[in-house]
Amino acid sequence: MKVDGRLTRTIWLAADGRSVEVIDQTRLPHAFTTLRLAFMEEAAHAIRSMQVRGAPLIGATAAYGVALAMAADPSDSALDRAVAVLGETRPTAVNLHWALAEMQAVLRNRPQAERADLAYAKAAAICDEDVVTNRAIGGHGLALFREAYEAKGGPKAQGRPLRVLTHCNAGWLACVDWGTALAPIYLAHDEGMPLEVWVDETRPRTQGALTAWELKSHGVPHKVIVDNAGGLLMRQGQVDLCIVGTDRVAANGDVANKIGTYLKALAARDNGLPFYVALPGPTIDWSLPSGDAIPIEERAEEEVTLVTGRTADGGLATVSPYPAGTRASNAGFDVTPARLVTALVTERGVAPASREGLLGLYPERA
Ligand code: MRU
């Protein structure tokens, strides 16, 4: 996607050919800054501290983290350590473990002298593949958007945009490029479909601000709503469809995504609205029979009790709306049962959220 007119990805190899650059997402939407990661530990820190975030980008960063480790020391023990350290950075997004497994498959049993080159090449390939994958997800999602837009009258229904609700940030910032849930939004907007996107604020980390920043940069009409507003808008007929990303899909089609996703799916079902989940193949955890076993990240209490934002004079301030000493509970994700998901939108096409549906798209997993 473009930032200030320049095509930009979220992660790329630096000019020195060894370190890696990423966008510091903890500073968005207030400042667009980049960070240089020169060591595996810095890649791990970037994931842990959410300087990079979103399931596919977490995987891509972990892949480059292994490459950084191999550039410093290509031994077996350094590889083991990199996999262990990176693998513990965040628990829910399975793309992390997928990427680490891909890296190990390429590096194990290879001469140490070749490992750094192999690791950088594989990390670059994972990134390039993510871009192609997300563009394909966008194409399949676009077909669903066109259907929904035609159903409400299409271009004849002048002034009636397709109204899409999304939760968290499943845009290009969460991936290497394009995004998953936002990819069809970009494609629909680019082909001239009138859209109005409802952007859930997504407390406590306010990833909705990242979505709003992305949509604003691309010129897509949108409004931010508080996390509790979606149900009202759905009842009022102001939502045509919901689409979200995911951090892990179990083999039965249950979906883990940012906390609050489940409530949106319940409201969508109650209002007879489609609830789509967009994902790349590496987000499917074939080893888990259901979403009950998906690990849910418990995050710091301060993310709930403190709020950071821009002040009137342009500075940044962190304040607490709560009485001093208030305790908070902060689960980062929830699981939406497959029965509430209208369909999964993948790079291979659209399928019911079920074991059969997933196997129909990925028969090699049968
Ligand atoms: O905690 P985050 O910001 O990493 O959570 C991100 C999400 O929940 C996204 O919706 C998910 O990773 C899908 S991204 C394509």
Side-chain angles (χ1 to χ4, degrees):
M1 291 288 139
K2 285 190 181 161
V3 178
D4 294 335
R6 275 185 51 197
L7 277 175
T8 309
R9 286 183 173 187
T10 54
I11 185 165
W12 61 95
L13 193 63
D16 65 8
R18 177 172 161 150
S19 49
V20 176
E21 292 190 60
V22 295
I23 299 166
D24 183 354
Q25 300 197 22
T26 59
R27 304 201 59 199
L28 283 173
H30 309 295
F32 182 86
T33 52
T34 59
L35 288 169
R36 184 170 287 216
L37 312 175
F39 301 99
M40 180 273 287
E41 289 79 3
E42 291 177 345
H45 173 75
I47 298 171
R48 210 179 292 115
S49 65
M50 293 179 67
Q51 289 168 328
V52 295
R53 41 147 300 282
L57 179 57
I58 289 170
T61 308
Y64 267 118
V66 172
L68 291 168
M70 293 298 92
D73 172 4
S75 66
D76 282 348
S77 60
L79 179 56
D80 290 344
R81 181 163 175 275
V83 169
V85 169
L86 291 160
E88 290 199 341
T89 47
R90 294 195 66 192
T92 304
V94 77
N95 309 59
L96 172 67
H97 303 289
W98 170 84
L100 292 172
E102 291 280 303
M103 295 301 286
Q104 289 187 85
V106 164
L107 299 175
R108 294 254 181 241
N109 308 319
R110 297 305 294 259
Q112 292 192 12
E114 293 176 11
R115 279 185 177 168
D117 285 349
L118 286 168
Y120 277 99
K122 182 64 184 173
I126 284 175
C127 291
D128 290 344
E129 193 183 313
D130 184 70
V131 179
V132 173
T133 294
N134 296 332
R135 174 62 180 77
I137 291 170
H140 296 298
L142 176 62
L144 297 171
F145 279 36
R146 284 183 185 143
E147 258 173 48
Y149 184 53
E150 287 303 322
K152 65 184 290 186
K156 289 189 295 269
Q158 293 193 353
R160 293 185 62 209
L162 186 73
R163 285 165 303 185
V164 178
L165 185 143
T166 191
H167 190 69
C168 196
N169 172 262
W172 71 271
L173 289 170
C175 304
V176 178
D177 204 353
W178 282 104
T180 54
L182 295 198
I185 290 176
Y186 289 129
L187 291 175
H189 175 77
D190 290 351
E191 74 170 23
M193 186 187 296
L195 291 171
E196 173 89 53
V197 182
W198 300 113
V199 178
D200 279 351
E201 186 178 27
T202 319
R203 277 278 289 150
R205 296 281 303 205
T206 327
Q207 283 94 335
L210 302 175
T211 299
W213 181 81
E214 281 196 30
L215 295 177
K216 183 177 179 205
S217 307
H218 204 82
V220 182
H222 62 281
K223 282 189 184 140
V224 173
I225 54 175
V226 295
D227 288 326
N228 294 323
L232 173 72
L233 294 173
M234 291 185 213
R235 272 180 67 83
Q236 289 177 333
Q238 296 204 60
V239 179
D240 297 309
L241 64 88
C242 305
I243 187 162
V244 299
T246 168
D247 294 83
R248 193 183 298 223
V249 177
N252 70 343
D254 290 350
V255 164
N257 192 46
K258 183 55 57 188
I259 191 85
T261 301
Y262 174 43
L263 290 177
K264 297 299 156 351
L266 283 169
R269 174 57 55 91
D270 194 45
N271 288 280
L273 292 170
F275 188 87
Y276 296 118
V277 178
L279 63 133
T283 303
I284 306 166
D285 186 343
W286 296 95
S287 74
L288 292 188
S290 88
D292 295 343
I294 297 177
I296 301 294
E297 182 173 21
E298 185 67 31
R299 298 188 54 85
E301 294 184 38
E302 291 71 28
E303 289 187 350
V304 178
T305 56
L306 301 177
V307 181
T308 299
R310 205 169 32 216
T311 56
D313 63 5
L316 283 183
T318 299
V319 298
S320 176
Y322 298 99
T326 300
R327 299 292 310 273
S329 164
N330 187 15
F333 298 86
D334 61 25
V335 175
T336 300
R339 66 188 155 76
L340 297 178
V341 176
T342 308
L344 301 171
V345 185
T346 79
E347 73 277 15
R348 294 199 188 174
V350 177
S354 63
R355 187 166 177 81
E356 297 68 36
L358 284 169
L359 287 174
L361 293 180
Y362 302 91
E364 69 275 20
R365 294 291 182 159

